Amino acid sequence: IPKPQYPLYSAALTMSGGHAVYYNLDEAAGWRTTWAELERAYNAASQSGVQVCALAMINPGNPVGAVLDEVDVAMIVSFAASRGLVVLADEVYQVN
């Protein structure tokens, strides 16, 4: 789950007995994340015994409002694929 974030995912996980794993968004980089940060969060969770099943991608980010570009989306999806994770793509403002 990206951090900072609107607490929908963390609250739902807590209520259902799951464990929230956070990856940091870098304000100085326009609220983006990196492969290394995703890896850090994944590895820390795995080493503490948490089975990571999914990766939340919130676009645009709530509460910061940052919009991921195509490169960022591809990197996040590639990371998830490399670990066999489901991507929870929260793109509520997307035009369908």
Side-chain angles (χ1 to χ4, degrees):
I1 301 172
K3 186 177 178 182
Q5 53 97 22
Y6 181 76
L8 174 67
Y9 290 106
S10 55
L13 282 168
T14 299
M15 289 177 63
S16 64
H19 299 278
V21 176
Y22 296 99
Y23 62 90
N24 293 310
L25 302 178
D26 183 357
E27 181 178 9
W31 298 107
R32 298 171 71 194
T33 195
T34 63
W35 185 285
E37 174 56 19
L38 295 173
E39 194 164 53
R40 180 210 57 78
Y42 180 88
N43 289 340
S46 295
Q47 290 170 3
S48 68
V50 174
Q51 181 182 358
V52 181
C53 301
L55 191 156
M57 178 180 63
I58 304 171
N59 189 30
N62 186 356
V64 299
V67 177
L68 299 171
D69 65 21
E70 189 174 337
V71 172
D72 290 325
V73 171
M75 182 272 296
I76 291 168
V77 170
S78 293
F79 180 85
S82 76
R83 301 297 190 276
L85 304 175
V86 171
V87 175
L88 302 174
D90 182 343
E91 299 178 307
V92 70
Y93 301 108
Q94 174 180 326
V95 176
N96 291 317

